[in-house]
Amino acid sequence: MNKWLRGTNATVLSLAVIGIFIVVTVFLHSLGNLQWDLTKDKKFTLSEQSLNVLDKLDKDIHVIVFDGGQADPFLSQQVVDLVKEFQRHNKHITFDEYDMLKQPSMAKQYNVDGGGTIVFESGDQKKNISFYQMFMPGQQQDGSYFFDGEQKYAEAIINLTSSEKHPVYFLTGHNEIAITELNTLKSSLEGVNYVVKELNLYREGKIPDDAQAIFIMGPKTDLNDQETKLIKDYLQGNGKLYLALGFNKDMTTQWKNIDSIMSTLGVQDLHSVAIEPKQSVLFDPLTIVPTYGFHDITNKLDDSQLLTVISLAVSLKDNPAVKDYSPTMLLKTTNQAYGETDLEALTKGQSKQDSVDTAGPLNLAYAVEDSAKRPKAVDFAEPGEYDFLWNGCCIPALLPPGRRSDLVEEEKRMMKRFLPTILLVVVCIVGLWYASSHNFFQKPKEKPTPLITVKKEDVTGIKITDSNPGQDGVPVIELQKKDGKWNMIQPAAYPLNTYSADSWAEALGKTTGDKVIEKDATPGDLSKYGFDKPLQVFEATLADGTKQTLTIGSATPVSGTYYVKTDASTTIYQESEEQITPLKKKPFDIIEKSPFQFEYNKLNKLTVDWKGQSWMLTKSDPSKMGYESEWKLGALVLKPDDGSSFLDKIINMSTNQMIGPVSKVKMDNPELKVTMVLQDKDGKEYTQTYVGKINGNDVHINQVGGPWEYTMSLSAIQELYDKAQAVRDKVAQQAAQQSQAAPPTAPPAAGTK
């Protein structure tokens, strides 16, 4: 029983349905133009409700499907086929289909989603529905989906052709299911001009006069007396109620007022949970496939062979003594079911039929009319059945979150024949595995097309043109490589980081077109893709004098992608922002950011003077590499690792601000002076000196005789000095420990001198 309480796993049944659907789909494709509507949800056969909407449509509606982009072609085809079916039933519907990537201006005008959008427009009104809103996830959370397009189309038509708004209120204050958890219901109501609002009767003290219906969705605590009176008075008038009970093990004692409202309507809560040993899902006696009663709501469900699955259902019965209201049973169990009254035991996974339990068959839902045959509540058993909206009253037992009532579209005989189903599942799983491993159902992906083929060592010039450089950017950056060294020509001769320039050239050579948008584009076609006013132009000059150019047009309707082209081709491509970003550089991105420029292994001596204090680091053996030689910090001898750690600190210092000319700050009496003695390839020593001046929280640093000034934070320079002190303290501590660990010297023997 515990496993039943945790929920039924309907994966076996779902896989069987998927297997049948694939077999039928492959068969239909093999018959060419033969079109039988054998899809499990009959998505190409319009429901009676949709036909009613179309029969009443007397306004022109223009439907536009924007696919392409990220829209799956198979899903797009379902969307288009259904539009054509709607169009076939009403001449007021016109239809166009566009590839959003080839019509970017229209896509922008209609604010389409990159995953596909269908637009319904009438006059100056329009309604957008994205593809993802029409393909709903399956109840098993196994990646399956069902197509909900017909309901969305009908909603859009009603929304455009009707100006009436119908407010409905969802009761709050009793731990009801939040409207935010009922997105499908909420969007369905709003789609057909219902205004969904929340109502806290305890706070407001009355039911609004415009309330078309009140929804009470799975309350966990009881209503108070005043709220109960307001609802009863509301029902005495034109009010309508949707009451969905949640499971509560203390419902017998804690639902006094909820029971009172139901009793007023002629329905009694028996305070027992239905256990169904016969007609249930996968042998789970708490997840029931009930039998339908006779009512407009259930008759149409039964005619469509749609089954209702309900779990933890509360048993109900009608009370003939109530004369003002007439309940009609909607759902019931078989005779073998019983209602478990020991709810405490049930929560512990225990249930056994005994004399105090309610005998089956059990009634699980009712529709209620008043004596004038007016419906007094609302049932949304099937969201697409809009003509049921005001035609019935339903009081079903509502599932707790994650196990709410749902319609399962499957023939009844499959529910009674599980062994053949399980065998079919095995066959389907094997078949699907084989087909997937051989890509039978997958359209070959379009391979990315290399746009520019260059090697970074062949690039001698770089030019970046940006139409919108931003605050820290410039319109043009131009670099030139001479004698193996990169130099900046525009906007100024800033010192460059050679790695940054080479990596840019390498990134340009790796650019690929993700998707071909248009081949042989004419000059007149370029403007619609933004190439008349490109966002960026990236140009590489090669050693032989030829140039390779990549031009970035406008953004495509698919988020994070752009139109691109090369000068060597008339083909327009779609390219991801991830590939373009490494090419979009500002001067700061490629300049040398370290204020101290020296070659690590050429350094022999380093002297730092900071705020009147000084220390010196000297290489013990100038013939060795920096990481191999010992170093001296003053009189202390440092191991190679200790010396290298300090040199790493200074060489890796980096500014976070753009550099400027040395005239920016006068360097009179600098607080910082760094002197480096280096050795050239001929063994001759030369000196580089850097000075720094404190200005607020910054230190402005430049090399004496150099053209550029760097701005470092005051704390970064202090950390440099503190690093030397930390190394000095570490070495001194190690020396003291070694001295203490050394064995004492023995005194001289007697008689010796």
Side-chain angles (χ1 to χ4, degrees), residues 265-304:
L265 294 169
V267 178
Q268 181 182 351
D269 181 356
L270 299 180
H271 304 134
S272 61
V273 172
I275 306 294
E276 173 63 85
K278 180 179 179 182
Q279 199 163 297
S280 57
V281 177
L282 294 183
F283 311 108
D284 176 0
L286 289 174
T287 304
I288 302 167
V289 182
T291 301
Y292 292 130
F294 295 97
H295 191 278
D296 282 346
I297 297 172
T298 51
N299 290 346
K300 292 184 179 182
L301 294 175
D302 198 21
D303 291 343
S304 300

Tab-separated table of all heavy atoms in Angstrom, residues 265-304:
chain	number	residue	atom	x	y	z
A	265	LEU	N	-25.818	21.792	-1.299
A	265	LEU	CA	-25.979	21.451	-2.708
A	265	LEU	C	-26.540	20.047	-2.911
A	265	LEU	O	-26.701	19.603	-4.051
A	265	LEU	CB	-24.620	21.557	-3.413
A	265	LEU	CG	-24.026	22.964	-3.503
A	265	LEU	CD1	-22.583	22.905	-3.982
A	265	LEU	CD2	-24.847	23.846	-4.426
A	266	GLY	N	-26.814	19.343	-1.811
A	266	GLY	CA	-27.379	18.009	-1.919
A	266	GLY	C	-26.360	16.916	-2.083
A	266	GLY	O	-26.676	15.822	-2.554
A	267	VAL	N	-25.097	17.184	-1.699
A	267	VAL	CA	-24.020	16.197	-1.815
A	267	VAL	C	-23.400	15.994	-0.437
A	267	VAL	O	-23.115	16.961	0.273
A	267	VAL	CB	-22.943	16.651	-2.825
A	267	VAL	CG1	-21.818	15.623	-2.892
A	267	VAL	CG2	-23.553	16.855	-4.201
A	268	GLN	N	-23.202	14.743	-0.053
A	268	GLN	CA	-22.633	14.424	1.261
A	268	GLN	C	-21.250	13.813	1.102
A	268	GLN	O	-21.040	12.905	0.292
A	268	GLN	CB	-23.551	13.449	2.007
A	268	GLN	CG	-23.040	13.074	3.391
A	268	GLN	CD	-23.939	12.074	4.093
A	268	GLN	OE1	-25.045	11.786	3.616
A	268	GLN	NE2	-23.471	11.554	5.220
A	269	ASP	N	-20.304	14.336	1.882
A	269	ASP	CA	-18.948	13.784	1.927
A	269	ASP	C	-18.951	12.614	2.912
A	269	ASP	O	-19.274	12.774	4.090
A	269	ASP	CB	-17.968	14.871	2.381
A	269	ASP	CG	-16.527	14.397	2.434
A	269	ASP	OD1	-16.279	13.202	2.196
A	269	ASP	OD2	-15.652	15.233	2.722
A	270	LEU	N	-18.589	11.408	2.441
A	270	LEU	CA	-18.591	10.221	3.290
A	270	LEU	C	-17.288	10.047	4.065
A	270	LEU	O	-17.143	9.088	4.826
A	270	LEU	CB	-18.853	8.980	2.426
A	270	LEU	CG	-20.191	8.972	1.681
A	270	LEU	CD1	-20.340	7.689	0.869
A	270	LEU	CD2	-21.355	9.136	2.647
A	271	HIS	N	-16.326	10.947	3.859
A	271	HIS	CA	-15.069	10.929	4.608
A	271	HIS	C	-14.342	9.596	4.494
A	271	HIS	O	-13.789	9.089	5.474
A	271	HIS	CB	-15.298	11.269	6.081
A	271	HIS	CG	-15.976	12.584	6.282
A	271	HIS	ND1	-17.031	12.761	7.154
A	271	HIS	CD2	-15.787	13.792	5.692
A	271	HIS	CE1	-17.445	14.011	7.107
A	271	HIS	NE2	-16.690	14.663	6.226
A	272	SER	N	-14.362	9.042	3.317
A	272	SER	CA	-13.618	7.804	3.067
A	272	SER	C	-12.934	7.913	1.711
A	272	SER	O	-13.433	8.586	0.812
A	272	SER	CB	-14.551	6.591	3.096
A	272	SER	OG	-15.551	6.683	2.083
A	273	VAL	N	-11.796	7.234	1.589
A	273	VAL	CA	-11.021	7.276	0.347
A	273	VAL	C	-11.282	5.992	-0.435
A	273	VAL	O	-11.216	4.888	0.111
A	273	VAL	CB	-9.512	7.433	0.643
A	273	VAL	CG1	-8.692	7.270	-0.634
A	273	VAL	CG2	-9.247	8.788	1.277
A	274	ALA	N	-11.556	6.171	-1.723
A	274	ALA	CA	-11.940	5.040	-2.562
A	274	ALA	C	-10.759	4.112	-2.826
A	274	ALA	O	-9.670	4.549	-3.211
A	274	ALA	CB	-12.506	5.544	-3.888
A	275	ILE	N	-10.977	2.821	-2.611
A	275	ILE	CA	-10.020	1.759	-2.924
A	275	ILE	C	-10.655	0.902	-4.024
A	275	ILE	O	-11.726	0.330	-3.823
A	275	ILE	CB	-9.717	0.878	-1.696
A	275	ILE	CG1	-9.266	1.740	-0.502
A	275	ILE	CG2	-8.668	-0.173	-2.044
A	275	ILE	CD1	-7.953	2.437	-0.695
A	276	GLU	N	-9.998	0.839	-5.185
A	276	GLU	CA	-10.562	0.146	-6.343
A	276	GLU	C	-9.660	-1.019	-6.742
A	276	GLU	O	-8.601	-0.821	-7.347
A	276	GLU	CB	-10.702	1.114	-7.509
A	276	GLU	CG	-11.128	0.497	-8.830
A	276	GLU	CD	-12.514	-0.142	-8.770
A	276	GLU	OE1	-13.512	0.573	-8.945
A	276	GLU	OE2	-12.556	-1.374	-8.525
A	277	PRO	N	-10.032	-2.275	-6.409
A	277	PRO	CA	-9.171	-3.418	-6.736
A	277	PRO	C	-9.303	-3.877	-8.182
A	277	PRO	O	-8.474	-4.653	-8.662
A	277	PRO	CB	-9.660	-4.506	-5.776
A	277	PRO	CG	-11.094	-4.176	-5.547
A	277	PRO	CD	-11.197	-2.670	-5.587
A	278	LYS	N	-10.323	-3.399	-8.910
A	278	LYS	CA	-10.598	-3.932	-10.241
A	278	LYS	C	-10.195	-2.950	-11.340
A	278	LYS	O	-9.336	-3.239	-12.162
A	278	LYS	CB	-12.083	-4.282	-10.365
A	278	LYS	CG	-12.475	-4.850	-11.728
A	278	LYS	CD	-13.967	-5.186	-11.772
A	278	LYS	CE	-14.347	-5.739	-13.151
A	278	LYS	NZ	-15.792	-6.032	-13.257
A	279	GLN	N	-10.815	-1.783	-11.377
A	279	GLN	CA	-10.647	-0.851	-12.493
A	279	GLN	C	-9.706	0.274	-12.071
A	279	GLN	O	-10.116	1.387	-11.798
A	279	GLN	CB	-12.017	-0.291	-12.913
A	279	GLN	CG	-12.020	0.311	-14.322
A	279	GLN	CD	-13.432	0.461	-14.848
A	279	GLN	OE1	-14.120	-0.537	-15.020
A	279	GLN	NE2	-13.859	1.685	-15.074
A	280	SER	N	-8.426	-0.062	-12.022
A	280	SER	CA	-7.416	0.903	-11.599
A	280	SER	C	-6.244	0.860	-12.566
A	280	SER	O	-6.186	0.024	-13.459
A	280	SER	CB	-6.945	0.603	-10.168
A	280	SER	OG	-6.437	-0.719	-10.091
A	281	VAL	N	-5.301	1.778	-12.372
A	281	VAL	CA	-4.155	1.891	-13.272
A	281	VAL	C	-2.997	1.049	-12.750
A	281	VAL	O	-2.511	1.270	-11.641
A	281	VAL	CB	-3.721	3.370	-13.425
A	281	VAL	CG1	-2.482	3.477	-14.290
A	281	VAL	CG2	-4.855	4.191	-14.032
A	282	LEU	N	-2.564	0.074	-13.545
A	282	LEU	CA	-1.410	-0.756	-13.205
A	282	LEU	C	-1.495	-1.312	-11.789
A	282	LEU	O	-0.532	-1.270	-11.026
A	282	LEU	CB	-0.110	0.039	-13.400
A	282	LEU	CG	0.216	0.432	-14.857
A	282	LEU	CD1	1.547	1.148	-14.914
A	282	LEU	CD2	0.229	-0.781	-15.765
A	283	PHE	N	-2.687	-1.811	-11.455
A	283	PHE	CA	-2.894	-2.503	-10.189
A	283	PHE	C	-2.723	-1.606	-8.965
A	283	PHE	O	-2.513	-2.103	-7.864
A	283	PHE	CB	-1.958	-3.723	-10.076
A	283	PHE	CG	-1.977	-4.598	-11.294
A	283	PHE	CD1	-0.886	-4.625	-12.156
A	283	PHE	CD2	-3.082	-5.376	-11.595
A	283	PHE	CE1	-0.891	-5.423	-13.282
A	283	PHE	CE2	-3.095	-6.173	-12.724
A	283	PHE	CZ	-2.013	-6.205	-13.580
A	284	ASP	N	-2.799	-0.300	-9.139
A	284	ASP	CA	-2.747	0.626	-8.011
A	284	ASP	C	-4.187	0.915	-7.583
A	284	ASP	O	-4.905	1.627	-8.277
A	284	ASP	CB	-2.049	1.919	-8.432
A	284	ASP	CG	-2.047	2.962	-7.326
A	284	ASP	OD1	-2.586	2.683	-6.241
A	284	ASP	OD2	-1.520	4.061	-7.559
A	285	PRO	N	-4.661	0.379	-6.470
A	285	PRO	CA	-6.070	0.528	-6.088
A	285	PRO	C	-6.462	1.945	-5.699
A	285	PRO	O	-7.648	2.234	-5.538
A	285	PRO	CB	-6.216	-0.429	-4.910
A	285	PRO	CG	-4.849	-0.539	-4.337
A	285	PRO	CD	-3.904	-0.433	-5.500
A	286	LEU	N	-5.474	2.827	-5.509
A	286	LEU	CA	-5.786	4.215	-5.184
A	286	LEU	C	-5.870	5.097	-6.419
A	286	LEU	O	-6.321	6.242	-6.329
A	286	LEU	CB	-4.725	4.779	-4.222
A	286	LEU	CG	-4.755	4.229	-2.802
A	286	LEU	CD1	-3.580	4.765	-2.004
A	286	LEU	CD2	-6.065	4.582	-2.117
A	287	THR	N	-5.404	4.598	-7.559
A	287	THR	CA	-5.456	5.363	-8.802
A	287	THR	C	-6.510	4.718	-9.694
A	287	THR	O	-6.271	3.681	-10.300
A	287	THR	CB	-4.084	5.391	-9.498
A	287	THR	OG1	-3.121	5.913	-8.578
A	287	THR	CG2	-4.115	6.270	-10.737
A	288	ILE	N	-7.655	5.346	-9.749
A	288	ILE	CA	-8.866	4.716	-10.265
A	288	ILE	C	-9.199	5.232	-11.663
A	288	ILE	O	-9.032	6.421	-11.957
A	288	ILE	CB	-10.045	4.990	-9.301
A	288	ILE	CG1	-9.697	4.457	-7.905
A	288	ILE	CG2	-11.346	4.398	-9.817
A	288	ILE	CD1	-10.642	4.944	-6.827
A	289	VAL	N	-9.703	4.321	-12.500
A	289	VAL	CA	-10.291	4.693	-13.783
A	289	VAL	C	-11.803	4.561	-13.602
A	289	VAL	O	-12.366	3.473	-13.765
A	289	VAL	CB	-9.799	3.788	-14.925
A	289	VAL	CG1	-10.390	4.247	-16.250
A	289	VAL	CG2	-8.283	3.786	-14.985
A	290	PRO	N	-12.492	5.637	-13.228
A	290	PRO	CA	-13.908	5.517	-12.878
A	290	PRO	C	-14.803	5.346	-14.104
A	290	PRO	O	-14.424	5.658	-15.229
A	290	PRO	CB	-14.199	6.840	-12.163
A	290	PRO	CG	-13.224	7.800	-12.749
A	290	PRO	CD	-11.992	7.009	-13.050
A	291	THR	N	-15.995	4.879	-13.861
A	291	THR	CA	-17.032	4.774	-14.889
A	291	THR	C	-17.809	6.081	-14.930
A	291	THR	O	-18.050	6.708	-13.897
A	291	THR	CB	-17.986	3.611	-14.551
A	291	THR	OG1	-17.227	2.404	-14.480
A	291	THR	CG2	-19.069	3.468	-15.611
A	292	TYR	N	-18.207	6.496	-16.141
A	292	TYR	CA	-18.922	7.763	-16.283
A	292	TYR	C	-20.406	7.597	-15.983
A	292	TYR	O	-21.022	6.571	-16.283
A	292	TYR	CB	-18.770	8.307	-17.703
A	292	TYR	CG	-17.370	8.753	-18.041
A	292	TYR	CD1	-16.751	8.324	-19.215
A	292	TYR	CD2	-16.673	9.612	-17.206
A	292	TYR	CE1	-15.474	8.731	-19.533
A	292	TYR	CE2	-15.396	10.025	-17.510
A	292	TYR	CZ	-14.785	9.578	-18.680
A	292	TYR	OH	-13.526	9.988	-18.981
A	293	GLY	N	-20.983	8.656	-15.416
A	293	GLY	CA	-22.424	8.755	-15.307
A	293	GLY	C	-22.997	9.362	-16.576
A	293	GLY	O	-22.293	9.523	-17.585
A	294	PHE	N	-24.281	9.731	-16.544
A	294	PHE	CA	-24.937	10.286	-17.722
A	294	PHE	C	-25.144	11.785	-17.531
A	294	PHE	O	-25.999	12.223	-16.743
A	294	PHE	CB	-26.277	9.572	-17.961
A	294	PHE	CG	-26.116	8.119	-18.312
A	294	PHE	CD1	-26.234	7.140	-17.340
A	294	PHE	CD2	-25.816	7.737	-19.611
A	294	PHE	CE1	-26.066	5.796	-17.654
A	294	PHE	CE2	-25.645	6.397	-19.937
A	294	PHE	CZ	-25.766	5.432	-18.956
A	295	HIS	N	-24.337	12.563	-18.248
A	295	HIS	CA	-24.392	14.024	-18.170
A	295	HIS	C	-23.707	14.557	-19.415
A	295	HIS	O	-22.882	13.860	-20.028
A	295	HIS	CB	-23.692	14.524	-16.897
A	295	HIS	CG	-23.915	15.974	-16.608
A	295	HIS	ND1	-23.198	16.972	-17.209
A	295	HIS	CD2	-24.796	16.580	-15.761
A	295	HIS	CE1	-23.610	18.151	-16.746
A	295	HIS	NE2	-24.587	17.934	-15.869
A	296	ASP	N	-24.037	15.794	-19.796
A	296	ASP	CA	-23.403	16.362	-20.990
A	296	ASP	C	-21.881	16.316	-20.904
A	296	ASP	O	-21.190	16.088	-21.896
A	296	ASP	CB	-23.848	17.815	-21.187
A	296	ASP	CG	-25.239	17.905	-21.793
A	296	ASP	OD1	-25.719	16.871	-22.288
A	296	ASP	OD2	-25.835	19.000	-21.758
A	297	ILE	N	-21.366	16.547	-19.715
A	297	ILE	CA	-19.914	16.541	-19.537
A	297	ILE	C	-19.348	15.158	-19.824
A	297	ILE	O	-18.490	14.968	-20.686
A	297	ILE	CB	-19.541	16.972	-18.104
A	297	ILE	CG1	-19.989	18.412	-17.860
A	297	ILE	CG2	-18.037	16.821	-17.867
A	297	ILE	CD1	-19.830	18.854	-16.429
A	298	THR	N	-19.848	14.166	-19.113
A	298	THR	CA	-19.267	12.825	-19.215
A	298	THR	C	-19.683	12.106	-20.484
A	298	THR	O	-18.945	11.244	-20.972
A	298	THR	CB	-19.666	12.000	-17.979
A	298	THR	OG1	-21.087	12.083	-17.806
A	298	THR	CG2	-18.980	12.538	-16.741
A	299	ASN	N	-20.848	12.450	-21.049
A	299	ASN	CA	-21.264	11.806	-22.290
A	299	ASN	C	-20.261	12.087	-23.406
A	299	ASN	O	-19.910	11.194	-24.188
A	299	ASN	CB	-22.657	12.294	-22.708
A	299	ASN	CG	-23.748	11.771	-21.788
A	299	ASN	OD1	-23.507	10.844	-21.009
A	299	ASN	ND2	-24.930	12.356	-21.876
A	300	LYS	N	-19.795	13.327	-23.482
A	300	LYS	CA	-18.861	13.680	-24.553
A	300	LYS	C	-17.478	13.077	-24.295
A	300	LYS	O	-16.767	12.722	-25.231
A	300	LYS	CB	-18.789	15.200	-24.694
A	300	LYS	CG	-20.101	15.778	-25.211
A	300	LYS	CD	-20.027	17.268	-25.449
A	300	LYS	CE	-21.361	17.785	-25.982
A	300	LYS	NZ	-21.322	19.234	-26.269
A	301	LEU	N	-17.123	12.970	-23.041
A	301	LEU	CA	-15.858	12.300	-22.735
A	301	LEU	C	-15.935	10.829	-23.119
A	301	LEU	O	-15.003	10.261	-23.689
A	301	LEU	CB	-15.528	12.431	-21.248
A	301	LEU	CG	-15.226	13.833	-20.717
A	301	LEU	CD1	-15.033	13.790	-19.212
A	301	LEU	CD2	-14.000	14.415	-21.391
A	302	ASP	N	-17.064	10.216	-22.805
A	302	ASP	CA	-17.247	8.803	-23.117
A	302	ASP	C	-17.297	8.580	-24.625
A	302	ASP	O	-16.699	7.632	-25.147
A	302	ASP	CB	-18.535	8.306	-22.460
A	302	ASP	CG	-18.574	6.788	-22.354
A	302	ASP	OD1	-17.489	6.169	-22.413
A	302	ASP	OD2	-19.661	6.227	-22.218
A	303	ASP	N	-17.996	9.476	-25.340
A	303	ASP	CA	-18.074	9.352	-26.793
A	303	ASP	C	-16.703	9.468	-27.443
A	303	ASP	O	-16.431	8.840	-28.473
A	303	ASP	CB	-19.003	10.424	-27.363
A	303	ASP	CG	-20.462	10.184	-26.985
A	303	ASP	OD1	-20.772	9.049	-26.569
A	303	ASP	OD2	-21.269	11.133	-27.089
A	304	SER	N	-15.836	10.274	-26.849
A	304	SER	CA	-14.479	10.469	-27.387
A	304	SER	C	-13.502	9.411	-26.889
A	304	SER	O	-12.311	9.478	-27.196
A	304	SER	CB	-13.950	11.860	-26.998
A	304	SER	OG	-14.788	12.871	-27.512
